[in-house]
Amino acid sequence: MESVTLPEDKLSLLDTYIRSLDDQEGMLIHILHRAQHLFGYLPPDLQLYIARSIGIPASKVYGVVSFYSYFTQVKRGEHTISVCMGTACFVKGAEQVKEALKKELKIGMDETTIDELFTLKEIRCIGACGLAPAVMVDDKVYGHMNEGNIKAVTSSYKGV
Ligand code: FES
């Protein structure tokens, strides 16, 4: 039942990888890396699947996933939009930029759009305070953001 939402082809690749390991429990981090690479994230049902596959408690898998910031339990979009909430940006209206982005993308923070194009996140100072309020899309910085120019930025990432 736990695999209902997980694509069978990817599960089978993960199974093959797990079976190839001698010390499966000792290789848990490697298995999780592999799983995140395959699925893009580590949802609870996938964590449960891995725990059952190698015969360890799900709580142990969860403990590792939540300890390392590299691992994510939330599906990420193709592009990550990071809204700077550092002091300079906050003073210059980052909160309004954040709200406008949520409205434009129809998602909350740490969520991903239905088309899986964008994930919205908060970030601390990105070193572009002179451009406050700033937003980063993947590793590209956009400055002087406001409700009026948000759409131009997001549209530039949408396919023609
Ligand atoms: S506070 Fe936003 S770039 Fe520095």
Side-chain angles (χ1 to χ4, degrees):
M1 182 180 167
E2 71 274 11
S3 65
V4 167
T5 58
L6 301 171
E8 287 296 332
D9 54 339
K10 292 179 180 175
L11 279 180
S12 131
L13 287 170
L14 185 61
D15 283 342
T16 305
Y17 176 68
I18 292 174
R19 277 199 303 270
S20 75
L21 302 170
D22 290 332
D23 176 13
Q24 296 174 343
E25 187 171 347
M27 294 290 279
L28 177 58
I29 288 182
H30 295 265
I31 294 170
L32 292 171
H33 270 280
R34 180 77 173 187
Q36 182 159 297
H37 179 72
L38 283 167
F39 292 85
Y41 71 127
L42 300 168
D45 51 354
L46 180 56
Q47 293 177 40
L48 187 59
Y49 183 88
I50 291 168
R52 287 183 178 168
S53 296
I54 62 180
I56 61 171
S59 58
K60 183 162 186 181
V61 175
Y62 175 76
V64 173
V65 169
S66 49
F67 182 78
Y68 293 100
S69 58
Y70 167 81
F71 294 125
T72 177
Q73 301 182 67
V74 182
K75 197 170 200 169
R76 285 186 183 151
E78 197 178 323
H79 302 288
T80 299
I81 301 182
S82 307
V83 185
C84 180
M85 297 302 286
T87 307
C89 289
F90 186 80
V91 169
K92 293 270 183 112
E95 193 67 41
Q96 289 92 307
V97 171
K98 188 174 83 173
E99 290 308 312
L101 273 165
K102 283 162 67 178
K103 199 170 160 195
E104 166 71 20
L105 300 174
K106 300 183 178 63
I107 54 174
M109 299 313 287
D110 294 318
E111 290 181 2
T112 297
T113 52
I114 288 175
D115 61 6
E116 296 179 7
L117 192 58
F118 297 114
T119 297
L120 195 53
K121 285 177 53 177
E122 278 186 17
I123 199 168
R124 289 295 152 197
C125 181
I126 54 176
C129 307
L131 301 176
V135 157
M136 217 160 62
V137 183
D138 302 327
D139 53 6
K140 186 168 178 190
V141 175
Y142 294 87
H144 307 301
M145 296 303 297
N146 56 54
E147 290 165 47
N149 60 17
I150 277 169
K151 205 176 174 70
V153 172
T154 56
S155 298
S156 68
Y157 288 86
K158 290 181 181 163
V160 184

